[in-house]
Structure formats: structure tokens, C-alpha cells
């Protein structure tokens, strides 16, 4: 049976959350000011639950893990999404599970603990990476053009399909780039690179703030 949070536990969780600072929180105003409605917008989605998983997806443990995540991708670039989480392929036996913040610290059982229990004593690994990366969302009709200035991937829609996620570099910073739909990308940089990459993207967006650009 799931545990019920006591008032004191709820107060402690709320206090901890109030004290947090996301890796790009200090850039929030700059992101808002640098975004160009109808062309390109940039924002941080902080505190998402992110879990690194290593497991053979064809094994019994892989099947159990998949039952928690809603499936495991089978090929490079593939993303499997369910109502509760999205799982990105990083390697034949390596995956990144991304879920909303509330999946992380539920007193009734968190995503990390559920995945650890699913792996059991079988070969593999479950690591909480929630503090390791942050998430940027770049969207709009010019989002691809902004990324093309400093990303080595071929981002043309014929090549990079919506629903694809790949490891790459943007501005020489290693990231996971997920094309959510035709005009929206999620970018996962390590927390220590968030300030640099955020400012790099803002600079790349600057030309679209000019009314002279069609």
C-alpha cells in the first residue's frame, strides 16, 4: 500500500523545493526577452525526473523495466513515450528515461525506485540523473534554423523526423537533442553547461528579433 505523506513531510518537501535553483534559472528573463513570438522561443523546463538505465532490452529484466517505462526503444534515434515517461535510446543497452518532476520524489514510490525494483539483481544499472542535466525547449518556425548554426546533425525534416532523439553537440556542448514535433525541440545539456549553452542559443536567436527578417 502506498504511503501517505504526513503534514510535516509535506512541509519539508515544499521547503526543499522552494530552496532549489535550476541551472538556468538566472537566465529566465533573458530567455523571455530574447524569444520572438511566431519565430523562436526558448525556455528552461527545470527539475524533470531523468534516469539513466543500462539493461539488455531483450532480457527478462529488460521486459520488467519496459513495463515501468511503457517500453524501451530498439534503435538509434528512437523514443518510446507513454502517459508517464519518455525513454530515449542512447545505445544498444543504454537509455535515458525522462518524466515529470512529480515522478521523482513520490512518497508512495518514485520512478527511480520502481526501475531499481524492476531491474532487481539482474545485470544492469539504474542511476538518478535528475540533477545531472536540465532541459531547454526551443520552439517556433525558426527553431531549426537556430540549431543549424552550430549543430553538426542534418536537421532537415526529411532526415531528422519528429519523435527522434540523438546525442550530438550544439555550440561544442554535448547534448541529447529530441525533435518533439516539426517546430519543437528539447535539448538536454549537463547542468554545468546550461549557462553557456543558454547564452549561445540566445545569441543564435538574435537575428530573428529584427523586423527586417521575413
Amino acid at each position: 500500500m502506498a504511503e501517505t505523506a504526513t503534514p510535516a513531510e509535506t512541509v519539508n518537501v515544499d521547503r526543499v523545493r522552494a530552496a532549489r535553483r535550476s541551472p538556468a534559472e538566472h537566465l529566465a528573463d533573458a530567455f523571455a526577452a530574447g524569444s520572438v513570438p511566431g519565430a523562436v522561443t526558448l525556455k528552461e523546463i527545470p527539475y524533470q525526473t531523468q534516469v539513466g538505465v543500462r539493461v539488455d532490452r531483450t532480457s527478462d529484466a529488460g521486459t520488467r523495466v519496459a513495463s515501468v517505462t511503457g517500453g524501451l526503444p530498439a534503435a538509434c534515434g528512437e523514443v518510446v513515450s507513454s502517459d508517464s515517461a519518455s525513454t530515449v535510446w542512447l545505445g544498444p543497452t543504454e537509455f535515458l528515461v525522462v518524466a515529470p518532476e512529480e515522478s521523482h520524489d513520490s512518497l508512495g514510490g518514485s520512478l527511480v525506485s520502481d526501475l531499481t525494483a524492476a531491474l532487481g539483481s539482474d545485470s544492469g544499472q539504474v542511476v538518478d540523473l535528475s540533477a545531472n542535466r536540465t532541459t531547454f525547449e526551443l520552439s517556433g518556425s525558426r527553431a531549426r534554423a537556430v540549431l543549424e548554426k552550430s549543430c553538426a546533425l542534418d536537421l532537415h525534416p526529411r532526415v531528422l523526423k519528429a519523435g527522434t532523439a540523438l546525442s550530438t553537440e550544439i555550440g561544442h556542448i554535448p547534448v541529447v537533442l529530441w525533435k518533439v514535433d516539426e517546430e519543437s525541440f528539447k535539448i538536454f545539456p549537463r547542468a554545468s553547461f546550461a549557462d553557456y549553452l543558454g547564452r549561445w542559443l540566445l545569441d543564435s536567436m538574435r537575428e530573428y528579433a529584427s523586423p527586417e527578417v521575413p
Side-chain angles (χ1 to χ4, degrees), residues 21-88:
R21 296 293 182 267
S22 67
E25 181 173 318
H26 60 291
L27 294 176
D29 290 343
F31 286 174
S35 293
V36 185
V40 60
T41 61
L42 175 63
K43 66 179 181 180
E44 183 187 22
I45 306 175
Y47 312 127
Q48 289 202 106
T49 302
Q50 299 188 42
V51 188
V53 176
R54 290 181 180 270
V55 69
D56 180 352
R57 62 180 301 277
T58 64
S59 67
D60 290 342
T63 299
R64 296 194 301 270
V65 167
S67 70
V68 175
T69 63
L72 293 175
C76 180
E78 186 176 345
V79 180
V80 174
S81 295
S82 67
D83 292 338
S84 59
S86 294
T87 305
V88 175

Side-chain angles (χ1 to χ4, degrees), residues 23-175:
E25 181 173 318
H26 60 291
L27 294 176
D29 290 343
F31 286 174
S35 293
V36 185
V40 60
T41 61
L42 175 63
K43 66 179 181 180
E44 183 187 22
I45 306 175
Y47 312 127
Q48 289 202 106
T49 302
Q50 299 188 42
V51 188
V53 176
R54 290 181 180 270
V55 69
D56 180 352
R57 62 180 301 277
T58 64
S59 67
D60 290 342
T63 299
R64 296 194 301 270
V65 167
S67 70
V68 175
T69 63
L72 293 175
C76 180
E78 186 176 345
V79 180
V80 174
S81 295
S82 67
D83 292 338
S84 59
S86 294
T87 305
V88 175
W89 191 97
L90 297 180
T93 60
E94 183 178 4
F95 311 92
L96 178 66
V97 184
V98 182
E101 175 187 357
E102 55 267 24
S103 300
H104 185 269
D105 54 4
S106 168
L107 291 173
S110 70
L111 178 60
V112 177
S113 61
D114 289 345
L115 288 169
T116 301
L119 180 63
S121 60
D122 288 8
S123 178
Q125 188 178 50
V126 173
V127 180
D128 184 359
L129 298 176
S130 302
N132 180 255
R133 299 178 185 268
T134 191
T135 306
F136 290 155
E137 183 177 76
L138 187 73
S139 59
S141 60
R142 299 292 192 176
R144 175 165 65 95
V146 168
L147 291 173
E148 284 175 334
K149 295 181 180 183
S150 56
C151 180
L153 291 178
D154 187 343
L155 302 178
H156 194 281
R158 287 195 301 265
V159 177
L160 188 69
K161 307 292 185 182
T164 300
L166 294 167
S167 295
T168 184
E169 290 187 356
I170 299 173
H172 309 296
I173 299 301
V175 301

